[in-house]
Amino acid sequence: MDSRDKPVRLWKSFSFAITGIKTALWSERNMRIHFLVSLLVIGCALFFSISQLEWLFVIFAIGGIFSLELINTAIERVVDLITKEYHPLAKQAKDIAAGAVFIYAITVVVIGIIIFLPYVLRGLRL
């Protein structure tokens, strides 16, 4: 294999990943909700001029929720591909994947409260 092919293969793998993200954004309601909430959070972070450490938590929270939502969507698609009929194990796989997203979403909300509530309370004390 020619070493010049490696950058092309790398770029192709990136393009496949971007296509997957776009597909999830257009086809999954929860992914669009996470995207809109992320834009709102980034706007709040800019407005409140949060610290560098707080930015790290926000970035990890946003990246984590998108990653888990993509994995959840992939699991749902694979299960749907394997069986169109109801099967208890198929339901469990989907429910467990959705549960992972739900747990992380709750964690992200708690992180958001810890970071942004002090800024909001300070702003209310004008």
Side-chain angles (χ1 to χ4, degrees):
M1 179 178 314
D2 192 344
S3 64
R4 291 175 290 184
D5 292 339
K6 288 183 181 179
V8 172
R9 284 195 330 221
L10 181 63
W11 176 249
K12 272 190 167 186
S13 70
F14 288 159
S15 70
F16 294 148
I18 291 167
T19 298
I21 294 166
K22 285 181 188 176
T23 299
L25 268 172
W26 297 138
S27 65
E28 295 296 318
R29 181 193 71 221
N30 288 349
M31 190 71 164
R32 289 190 301 274
I33 291 169
H34 294 310
F35 181 75
L36 293 173
V37 170
S38 295
L39 292 177
L40 177 67
V41 168
I42 290 168
C44 289
L46 292 169
F47 177 78
F48 290 122
S49 297
I50 65 174
S51 73
Q52 190 174 21
L53 182 61
E54 290 167 331
W55 268 110
L56 288 174
F57 279 100
V58 168
I59 291 166
F60 263 94
I62 291 171
I65 201 73
F66 282 136
S67 296
L68 274 175
E69 193 62 56
L70 288 166
I71 291 168
N72 180 48
T73 299
I75 290 170
E76 288 180 354
R77 297 282 163 69
V78 169
V79 168
D80 289 345
L81 179 67
I82 292 170
T83 180
K84 298 289 184 210
E85 299 171 18
Y86 175 83
H87 191 283
L89 291 176
K91 180 181 179 345
Q92 286 178 17
K94 288 181 168 189
D95 290 352
I96 290 167
V101 176
F102 185 64
I103 287 170
Y104 196 79
I106 291 169
T107 303
V108 166
V109 168
V110 171
I111 290 169
I113 291 168
I114 290 168
I115 290 174
F116 290 106
L117 187 60
Y119 289 101
V120 171
L121 292 176
R122 253 182 267 146
L124 292 175
R125 281 191 227 133
L126 298 172

